[in-house]
Amino acid sequence: MVVSAALAVGLVTTLITNPRYEWGTVNEYLFAPDILRGLRMTIILTVVSMLIGIALGIVLAVIRLSPSKLASGLAGAYIGFFRGTPVLVQLIFWFNFSALYPKVVIGIPFGPEFFLVNINLLITPFVAATLTLGLNEGAYMAEIVRSGILSVPEGQTYAASSLGLSRLQTLRKVVLPQAMRVIVPPTGNEVIGMLKTTSIVSIIALSELLYSAQSIYTRTYETIPLLIVVSIWYLLATSVLTFGQQYLERRFGRGTTRTAPVARFQMLRNAWGMTRREAGVQ
Amino acid sequence: MMGQAVAHTYSARREGDFMLQAHDVHKFFGSLHVLDSVSLDVAKGEVVCIIGPSGSGKSTFLRCINHLDKIDAGRMSVDGRLVGYTERGSRLHELPERDLLKQRADIGMVFQHFDLFPHMSVLENVCLAPVLLKRRTKQEAKAAAVELLRRVGLADKLQAYPVQLSGGQQQRVAIARALAMEPKLMLFDEPTSALDPELVGEVLVVMKELARTGMTMIVVTHEIGFASEVADTLVFMDRGRVVESGDPRTVISQPREERTRTFLSQVLS
């Protein structure tokens, strides 16, 4: 107890007294245009990759649970492949995809070509990055969505079927909304994980947050201060995401407790709406 | 004779008078013979109660009527149309999903554990299917739902979520939800078995009221009192077979079969 307290005090002291942290430099670069552009790219990458991942995950989970052994097996193979190879390897693979297939032709073999795609031009660093992160995320999301679907009692499906709802209607209106309660918390983790994982695309020279900082400190040698800048932004972004996750969890917790749940964000919004109404604003 | 008892009771009726015609229905779960040559005819407007020990195939039979379970042999038709199949020549073809769904929508079902949709309010539960299947506009569906919920005594619970209701209230919502599709036939799968004893009555009252309006009902139940009061026909099933059936009071007071007698003495004691 005493030892850890002493260590903590010592660490804080060095944070203030050690000049090599260069807090001034941190402050200087925190809102630098290059850093903010990098942050924007990180956010775009996270959003696009997660959207691909979630959409793919739902589709894969449904196929995985389909009665067809072949379809289920194919989805299983996809999940196994993407979970079984490092995402960094996948990234480099997609980035070099044109070495494998320089161009893709749509047409009749040995016959006329209708459509030709130059893979080298198609796979930009951004495309390689979102493709890698999205396809990889799809495998993880598939397992999360699958566990969510399996958490919904079978009786719900029977009840929906007996009313005449189709498989798809049952999935959309009855099963998925209930599965969300199980799906949201781990998905929140995935988004936070994704936000940080986007930093690996710095190796294919895509100017996200980390790469933007790297390109500054390779010039100025202010490595530590810039890494602090980067960490501050990552921390801030993950904090915002955590807040959003809590909101979603309460939103999809509807009907599971006897008292109607109100999310913190909804409370804020309600309070805001009330003051606006009181002030006579429409 | 077994399994045919009901058929001769209504031998005077014509084909079109029957809501359900089941003939020589078989169903297997692996090697287990769950339904063993079950035949049962139910006239339009008739209330049939099915009793029997657990595992006797009652619930499975009910689920076969709306094709939640498929039968392995025999014929089953509702309102003159084969369930889940069409007949071309002498061959049966499985119905495409769309037609099957239409058939199901005409058969209401109420489950032992209610199975309301917990993420929807009472009103949303009742409105979901009519709106989704485009039987009614949102406005019409809502008006109809309010009327149905009034009928089952829950007009003040429209905005409540299922978890806020007692079991009896949930089951009454489930009945309203099934009725919202205006079914020709209502199936009840042990509708009061999961309820606390003091809540059974309120559900039975709603069911009696429904029977009085002329709805065709098939009820799997352990409520012998309800069966003798409301049912036109009582069916006793055991080990996948119809053992005995007929007028409920006769079956209860003078059972012909030994197995029926044993079962009734256990239930009534």
Side-chain angles (χ1 to χ4, degrees):
Chain A
M1 185 63 199
V2 178
V3 177
S4 54
L7 278 173
V9 170
L11 188 68
V12 172
T13 316
T14 64
L15 274 175
I16 299 162
T17 56
N18 186 342
R20 274 172 284 193
Y21 278 110
E22 296 182 50
W23 290 105
T25 316
V26 170
N27 190 31
E28 184 185 328
Y29 282 111
L30 194 55
F31 295 101
D34 279 357
I35 294 293
L36 292 183
R37 263 196 295 277
L39 176 66
R40 201 182 69 165
M41 178 51 87
T42 290
I43 291 170
I44 292 173
L45 275 175
T46 307
V47 170
V48 174
S49 307
M50 275 317 293
L51 287 180
I52 296 173
I54 290 170
L56 196 59
I58 293 173
V59 172
L60 280 169
V62 172
I63 297 175
R64 186 102 176 87
L65 291 171
S66 86
S68 154
K69 284 225 170 73
L70 178 70
S72 170
L74 283 174
Y78 178 98
I79 294 165
F81 180 79
F82 281 91
R83 290 207 304 182
T85 51
V87 67
L88 186 54
V89 174
Q90 293 171 30
L91 178 66
I92 301 170
F93 176 84
W94 284 115
F95 190 55
N96 292 293
F97 192 67
S98 61
L100 191 60
Y101 294 103
K103 57 185 184 179
V104 169
V105 176
I106 295 170
I108 298 158
F110 311 110
E113 298 175 358
F114 302 130
F115 196 66
L116 186 144
V117 184
N118 188 330
I119 295 294
N120 224 344
L121 294 178
L122 183 73
I123 303 214
T124 61
F126 181 77
V127 171
T130 47
L131 208 56
T132 307
L133 296 172
L135 293 183
N136 185 64
E137 187 57 34
Y140 287 89
M141 282 307 300
E143 290 296 274
I144 291 173
V145 174
R146 188 171 70 98
S147 67
I149 291 176
L150 290 178
S151 78
V152 179
E154 246 187 340
Q156 292 287 307
T157 309
Y158 289 135
S161 302
S162 78
L163 287 166
L165 268 63
S166 68
R167 257 174 61 100
L168 197 65
Q169 287 169 329
T170 304
L171 190 72
R172 271 185 44 224
K173 297 286 179 178
V174 176
V175 176
L176 278 182
Q178 293 182 66
M180 290 305 276
R181 205 163 54 85
V182 171
I183 292 173
V184 166
T187 303
N189 285 344
E190 290 297 307
V191 179
I192 289 168
M194 176 64 79
L195 184 87
K196 296 183 295 178
T197 307
T198 55
S199 60
I200 67 159
V201 309
S202 58
I203 67 145
I204 58 170
L206 184 62
S207 306
E208 43 67 69
L209 189 52
L210 178 60
Y211 188 81
S212 308
Q214 283 173 329
S215 27
I216 296 170
Y217 70 63
T218 46
R219 246 184 309 118
T220 65
Y221 299 104
E222 293 158 324
T223 311
I224 297 293
L226 274 150
L227 288 180
I228 292 175
V229 166
V230 167
S231 302
I232 288 174
W233 280 118
Y234 278 123
L235 269 171
L236 208 69
T238 49
S239 304
V240 170
L241 288 174
T242 309
F243 191 71
Q245 182 184 352
Q246 283 171 359
Y247 171 73
L248 282 176
E249 276 178 31
R250 286 179 216 201
R251 171 75 175 67
F252 287 105
R254 242 183 357 182
T256 53
T257 52
R258 277 165 182 265
T259 52
V262 182
R264 224 179 294 171
F265 182 65
Q266 274 172 334
M267 281 196 280
L268 277 175
R269 211 174 49 185
N270 293 349
W272 166 243
M274 247 178 273
T275 50
R276 274 159 60 96
R277 249 172 277 133
E278 277 160 18
V281 183
Q282 272 304 308
Chain B
M1 261 325 274
M2 273 186 208
Q4 315 254 323
V6 182
H8 73 179
T9 316
Y10 294 100
S11 54
R13 292 178 189 272
R14 281 170 301 131
E15 185 93 336
D17 296 330
F18 290 109
M19 183 53 76
L20 174 75
Q21 289 181 294
H23 180 68
D24 195 20
V25 168
H26 290 263
K27 170 79 186 169
F28 295 87
F29 285 140
S31 62
L32 191 67
H33 206 162
V34 200
L35 295 179
D36 182 2
S37 186
V38 173
S39 298
L40 182 71
D41 290 349
V42 178
K44 285 179 180 165
E46 191 183 358
V47 176
V48 173
C49 283
I50 305 177
I51 57 169
S54 58
S56 58
K58 317 176 294 277
S59 294
T60 305
F61 180 64
L62 218 55
R63 293 158 55 84
C64 285
I65 295 175
N66 67 358
H67 212 57
L68 285 180
D69 275 331
K70 289 180 190 175
I71 62 175
D72 294 319
R75 288 174 74 94
M76 175 97 85
S77 53
V78 169
D79 204 13
R81 290 181 57 202
L82 281 178
V83 174
Y85 299 92
T86 68
E87 199 165 25
R88 262 174 274 150
S90 60
R91 288 181 61 96
L92 293 185
H93 299 266
E94 243 179 273
L95 272 185
E97 194 192 15
R98 195 198 302 176
D99 296 336
L100 175 63
L101 295 175
K102 269 197 198 120
Q103 256 184 356
R104 280 206 187 121
D106 286 335
I107 305 171
M109 188 157 184
V110 173
F111 300 85
Q112 183 177 359
H113 296 287
F114 334 131
D115 296 316
L116 292 179
F117 306 130
H119 57 299
M120 296 180 193
S121 70
V122 164
L123 192 61
E124 288 168 336
N125 262 280
V126 180
C127 288
L128 177 72
V131 173
L132 210 54
L133 304 178
K134 300 201 170 62
R135 294 233 167 159
R136 290 200 171 102
T137 66
K138 267 190 187 152
Q139 293 303 320
E140 289 167 1
K142 198 182 157 192
V146 170
E147 171 56 23
L148 278 169
L149 287 164
R150 196 190 55 73
R151 258 174 70 189
V152 299
L154 291 170
D156 56 334
K157 298 286 184 191
L158 302 181
Q159 301 306 329
Y161 282 88
V163 73
Q164 297 166 312
L165 304 178
S166 72
Q169 291 171 328
Q170 288 192 50
Q171 194 60 300
R172 286 186 278 152
V173 174
I175 293 172
R177 178 177 69 176
L179 290 176
M181 290 302 286
E182 300 185 318
K184 299 186 264 195
L185 169 65
M186 281 287 283
L187 310 174
F188 294 84
D189 189 3
E190 304 199 22
T192 57
S193 299
L195 295 176
D196 291 334
E198 77 272 20
L199 301 177
V200 169
E202 61 189 68
V203 172
L204 294 183
V205 165
V206 168
M207 289 169 63
K208 275 179 211 168
E209 180 59 29
L210 189 60
R212 218 177 47 80
T213 64
M215 174 66 76
T216 313
M217 293 163 62
I218 303 175
V219 185
V220 169
T221 187
H222 294 300
E223 299 291 332
I224 304 291
F226 173 81
S228 69
E229 188 185 339
V230 182
D232 300 303
T233 304
L234 182 64
V235 176
F236 174 65
M237 280 181 76
D238 190 22
R239 287 179 223 157
R241 302 181 72 100
V242 171
V243 175
E244 183 166 351
S245 71
D247 173 68
R249 262 155 277 188
T250 315
V251 172
I252 292 166
S253 56
Q254 297 145 3
R256 276 180 284 119
E257 302 289 331
E258 181 56 39
R259 273 188 287 171
T260 317
R261 214 168 295 147
T262 317
F263 175 76
L264 283 170
S265 69
Q266 282 163 350
V267 176
L268 293 173
S269 65

